[in-house]
Amino acid sequence: MFERKRWSGNIIVDIILNEFYTKAKRNNIKTNILCGNLRDCGVSDNDWCIVLLNLLDNALEACEKVEKTKRWITITIKCRENIILLEINNSFNGKLQKDGNGKLLTAKQNRFLHGIGLDSVVRIIDKYGGLIQMNGEDKVFKVNASMICENCVRRKEVNNE
């Protein structure tokens, strides 16, 4: 069992990051998390769950398809003025499935039951007036997102590796 760390000062975000960190270590995924203080940042607990659980689960699943020595994930969550910036980068096998409009598709077999997670993330990012970009090249998948939050203030970030 891994030590529980205080990443952000937000109970829900800390629980999610701790569970993610534990799963990543169990799967031999090199992990680096840099997270600012998110206490009282204005994002609801439910919205943090939707965004982080979907994006982090996707990153873990992608890494599991890569040979063990090449598995890695970096997470950066920063507060700047009234904006939360979220960046998740991870190794992946270089294979992306997209529809005719360039929208990412799930690689899971049952597309009826899977593939709605990213739509939920986009909906939450949009709810906070933010933007999200996702792309993969050179076997690196990158997610960059922002959310506008009136309660978010610039705070010192802590790097817990």
Side-chain angles (χ1 to χ4, degrees):
M1 180 164 194
F2 290 94
E3 168 187 344
R4 297 290 176 194
K5 296 183 181 186
R6 184 172 169 219
W7 303 96
S8 69
N10 178 302
I11 293 169
I12 294 300
V13 172
D14 288 349
I15 289 169
I16 292 168
L17 291 176
N18 275 303
E19 288 303 310
F20 160 79
Y21 189 77
T22 300
K23 287 179 188 176
K25 290 300 176 191
R26 275 193 210 130
N27 288 296
N28 299 313
I29 300 170
K30 184 179 180 198
T31 306
N32 187 27
I33 301 172
L34 174 67
C35 191
N37 187 336
L38 301 174
R39 186 179 308 123
D40 302 322
C41 67
V43 176
S44 77
D45 291 347
N46 188 54
D47 291 344
W48 274 124
C49 288
I50 291 169
V51 170
L52 290 177
L53 289 173
N54 279 294
L55 293 177
L56 296 176
D57 281 349
N58 288 349
L60 284 169
E61 287 179 23
C63 282
E64 289 171 355
K65 296 176 183 175
V66 175
E67 93 181 58
K68 287 185 180 182
T69 60
K70 297 181 180 180
R71 295 177 178 180
W72 59 269
I73 300 173
T74 62
I75 302 163
T76 305
I77 307 173
K78 297 179 181 180
C79 296
R80 294 287 181 252
E81 306 288 325
N82 65 335
I83 299 174
I84 295 174
L85 301 170
L86 171 65
E87 182 178 332
I88 300 172
N89 298 324
N90 59 274
S91 57
F92 82 113
N93 65 9
K95 299 174 187 170
L96 292 177
Q97 295 180 336
K98 296 182 180 182
D99 68 10
N101 297 320
K103 180 182 171 189
L104 289 173
L105 298 173
T106 184
K108 295 176 182 167
Q109 293 220 352
N110 189 336
R111 290 192 175 160
F112 180 74
L113 294 176
H114 300 284
I116 59 172
L118 285 181
D119 289 341
S120 299
V121 170
V122 170
R123 182 178 48 80
I124 298 302
I125 298 297
D126 188 55
K127 173 182 171 181
Y128 290 92
L131 299 170
I132 186 166
Q133 294 179 327
M134 295 173 269
N135 64 47
E137 57 185 49
D138 297 327
K139 297 192 177 185
V140 176
F141 191 83
K142 297 180 180 186
V143 175
N144 289 290
S146 63
M147 293 184 283
I148 299 171
C149 302
E150 293 180 20
N151 295 340
C152 185
V153 295
R154 191 177 211 171
R155 296 179 177 109
K156 183 181 178 194
E157 284 140 17
V158 178
N159 186 356
N160 291 305
E161 184 171 10

